[in-house]
Amino acid sequence: MAVQPQTNQAVTTGTEYIVRCKDVVKEYMMGTQVVRALNGVTLDIVRGEYLSIMGPSGSGKSTLFNMIGGLDKPTSGSVFINDVDMAQLDAQELAFLRCRTIGYIFQTFNLIPVMTALENVMLPMIFGGLSTDEAIDRGIELLKLVGLGERLHHKPSELSGGQQQRVAIARALANNPQIILADEPTGNLDLRTGKEIIELLRQLNKEQGVTIISATHDLKMVDVSDRIVWIRDGRIDRVEERAAVEVRVGDVEGTPG
Amino acid sequence: MRKDGRQVERLQLPFRVAFHISMQSVRIRFWRSVITAAGTVLGIAFLVSVLTAMMIQRNSGAVTDPSERYRMTWLVIMSLLVCLVGITNAMLMSVTERYKEIGTMKCLGAYDIFIVELFFIESALVGFIASVIGWFLGVFAVVLIKLFSEGFKVFGWISPGEVLLYLIYSIVIGTLLSVIATIIPAQVAARMPAAAALRVEV
Ligand SMILES: Nc1ncnc2c1ncn2[C@@H]1O[C@H](COP(=O)(O)OP(=O)(O)O)[C@@H](O)[C@H]1O
Ligand SMILES: [Mg+2]
């Protein structure tokens, strides 16, 4: 494994980082103009933490979501998941990573409209090789966990936004991922429903130990986050830790921004 | 197994599941399916009407002009090509409408080939149904027209076995036509990046 030489070895061995971003730069071409959506982001994310990426619209949150989720490649710099450089993965391995290691939650819920709630939750399990019966059992269990045990056979169009997001959370959990990556999960929800979804994510983080990385500009997220990374114009502005006794992430971010 | 020895487990989409998803997609996006089907229905209806008209003429004892036959063959081939373009166009629109859904499937682990598979099954289903409808319309239209011009003796000029054979031709040609027309759209869909799941506007 090619560990970056700049990395402080004492830190890497002391704590377990599930995601590490190293000088990530992402540029998009807009016609002839180059838009630099990420401008050198270095960020280590600890296994099991609840991390919020906060910043105004257009600051690069979704772009960072794409980089960490293996949905797009950085222009330069690298992203490691479980110490594996994602640039080294071929298409098949990336698909496997998306299926098994990461669960995605989107602002617009993104349920497959032609499938029922249960079928949506089952799909990643089917991809992963579970039999239909196993997938049904686990799908029902997960939908019960998110409070939708009564809506198994509803189509997304028959569910409210909050219910759709719950299905999406159940689907994200389908293959027991290590990471849940959420992009503005409360962006299309009203205040109360948004709060419920945040509570649910926090509960899953605590009970299942899944690392949650959430891009958001919803300040309700601040209360539940272990750490908040503020980004601005594609750079890390500052990293805040919840005042609590989070010693384990003590000296990780020496020089934010 | 990769060259560096890391084991990669294959993800899968069983045919049964793919078929179910495609079937639901045809059903739920009914009007979009109708637009895609329209091309096949028209093409097949024209093909079958030409075949049926020729059969009736032959059985009536009238002499067929061989150059007429040649001309009609060309016309049928050209019409099928036009329909092919029509189906491709309708399917491409369907792909652009579904960018988010395709991106999401990729986020859940779908390989490009899964997406191709879903589109092919869907177009085969639509093509199959459209062919049956097109066959029926083709036969029906010609028999109706001949009934007006020739009277009830037309029924004596229809060979049921041959008409049923046209159904088989129709299904084979129509389904194939629909699937071939979907090659390019399916390719476009398969290349849709997973990041499309996050896109807000088209
Ligand atoms: N696919 C793209 N093509 C061109 N520019 C993009 C693309 N995605 C994002 N950008 C640009 O990158 C910047 C950051 O966008 P984004 O990551 O979506 O921000 P956020 O999610 O924080 O609102 C914006 O200026 C946006 O216009
Ligand atoms: Mg965004």
Side-chain angles (χ1 to χ4, degrees):
Chain A
M1 198 66 50
V3 176
Q4 299 286 312
Q6 309 95 303
T7 309
N8 181 341
Q9 285 297 325
V11 173
T12 30
T13 47
T15 340
E16 224 195 339
Y17 295 111
I18 191 159
V19 178
R20 292 165 55 226
C21 302
K22 205 95 201 106
D23 299 320
V24 174
V25 171
K26 179 67 185 180
E27 290 173 344
Y28 291 109
M29 287 300 291
M30 286 283 274
T32 52
Q33 227 166 326
V34 178
V35 179
R36 191 169 266 225
L38 289 179
N39 190 8
V41 170
T42 298
L43 175 66
D44 293 340
I45 300 170
V46 182
R47 192 177 298 278
E49 78 174 318
Y50 191 127
L51 183 94
S52 287
I53 299 165
M54 292 257 179
S57 181
S59 55
K61 301 183 297 295
S62 296
T63 308
L64 187 58
F65 175 103
N66 281 334
M67 300 298 126
I68 295 175
L71 305 186
D72 203 350
K73 290 194 175 357
T75 309
S76 70
S78 24
V79 179
F80 298 83
I81 301 247
N82 287 326
D83 288 326
V84 176
D85 185 352
M86 282 211 271
Q88 305 296 317
L89 303 181
D90 61 27
Q92 203 169 317
E93 288 170 312
L94 270 176
F96 189 77
L97 180 96
R98 292 177 195 143
C99 183
R100 284 298 185 76
T101 311
I102 305 176
Y104 304 85
I105 296 171
F106 307 94
Q107 175 172 2
T108 49
F109 323 131
N110 290 33
L111 299 180
I112 309 295
V114 303
M115 302 169 83
T116 64
L118 181 57
E119 287 167 352
N120 263 282
V121 179
M122 285 166 64
L123 194 59
M125 298 187 248
I126 300 280
F127 285 165
L130 246 61
S131 74
T132 308
D133 287 342
E134 291 168 313
I136 288 176
D137 288 348
R138 180 157 169 77
I140 292 174
E141 193 185 301
L142 285 169
L143 282 167
K144 280 185 181 152
L145 179 72
V146 299
L148 280 181
E150 309 296 309
R151 297 271 195 289
L152 302 174
H153 303 294
H154 285 59
K155 290 266 155 54
S157 56
E158 299 158 354
L159 297 171
S160 70
Q163 289 171 335
Q164 287 187 54
Q165 198 61 300
R166 283 169 188 273
V167 176
I169 291 172
R171 183 178 67 182
L173 288 168
N175 287 327
N176 264 321
Q178 299 172 32
I179 304 166
I180 284 193
L181 203 48
D183 188 42
E184 310 268 9
T186 59
N188 278 17
L189 300 174
D190 62 59
L191 201 79
R192 216 192 65 208
T193 317
K195 256 201 185 109
E196 286 168 12
I197 292 297
I198 292 171
E199 285 306 319
L200 177 60
L201 286 174
R202 181 56 176 174
Q203 180 199 337
L204 294 170
N205 168 250
K206 278 198 174 134
E207 289 172 5
Q208 324 238 335
V210 57
T211 307
I212 296 194
I213 305 167
S214 175
T216 185
H217 59 251
D218 184 347
L219 290 171
K220 295 195 290 299
M221 284 279 189
V222 172
D223 299 335
V224 300
S225 308
D226 294 320
R227 274 200 305 162
I228 302 139
V229 175
W230 296 86
I231 75 168
R232 185 166 208 98
D233 298 329
R235 313 189 114 244
I236 294 183
D237 196 31
R238 62 184 195 277
V239 180
E240 281 178 357
E241 281 159 40
R242 246 185 351 156
V245 277
E246 306 285 359
V247 195
R248 59 201 172 100
V249 286
D251 340 299
V252 181
E253 288 295 335
T255 48
Chain B
M1 189 82 94
R2 265 174 62 114
K3 43 201 174 301
D4 57 9
R6 253 184 293 150
Q7 185 82 42
V8 188
E9 208 179 307
R10 271 202 75 79
L11 300 175
Q12 48 196 284
L13 176 61
F15 181 78
R16 195 176 33 77
V17 175
F19 189 84
H20 174 74
I21 296 173
S22 304
M23 184 81 121
Q24 287 300 102
S25 182
V26 173
R27 235 170 44 83
I28 291 176
R29 285 184 267 255
F30 181 76
W31 291 109
R32 163 60 61 207
S33 308
V34 167
I35 294 170
T36 316
T40 312
V41 170
L42 289 176
I44 293 300
F46 184 60
L47 166 74
V48 171
S49 68
V50 167
L51 288 172
T52 309
M54 287 195 321
M55 171 193 69
I56 288 177
Q57 198 170 18
R58 186 160 21 84
N59 289 350
S60 71
V63 268
T64 22
D65 180 2
S67 76
E68 167 76 2
R69 204 190 147 93
Y70 186 71
R71 205 173 63 84
M72 288 318 274
T73 308
W74 263 113
L75 223 66
V76 166
I77 291 175
M78 290 319 288
S79 79
L80 289 179
L81 282 179
V82 170
C83 293
L84 194 94
V85 176
I87 304 165
T88 301
N89 197 41
M91 267 299 189
L92 276 174
M93 275 161 69
S94 177
V95 168
T96 28
E97 280 168 7
R98 290 191 225 172
Y99 67 95
K100 190 178 281 186
E101 186 178 333
I102 297 165
T104 304
M105 284 215 183
K106 288 199 164 178
C107 287
L108 302 181
Y111 295 150
D112 291 5
I113 193 74
F114 293 1
I115 308 292
V116 171
E117 197 179 333
L118 289 172
F119 273 90
F120 276 173
I121 296 174
E122 184 171 330
S123 69
L125 277 168
V126 172
F128 179 88
I129 298 164
S131 304
V132 176
I133 297 171
W135 166 80
F136 176 79
L137 289 180
V139 174
F140 185 76
V142 169
V143 171
L144 204 67
I145 290 166
K146 292 283 177 187
L147 198 61
F148 276 117
S149 61
E150 312 282 340
F152 285 103
K153 57 181 184 286
V154 211
F155 291 114
W157 298 335
I158 296 170
S159 334
E162 210 165 319
V163 174
L164 276 182
L165 192 65
Y166 297 161
L167 176 61
I168 294 170
Y169 289 167
S170 299
I171 289 171
V172 171
I173 295 173
T175 308
L176 218 62
L177 191 75
S178 190
V179 171
I180 290 170
T182 308
I183 292 175
I184 292 170
Q187 213 105 49
V188 173
R191 289 208 197 105
M192 192 76 78
L198 278 84
R199 236 159 48 199
V200 179
E201 81 300 350
V202 181

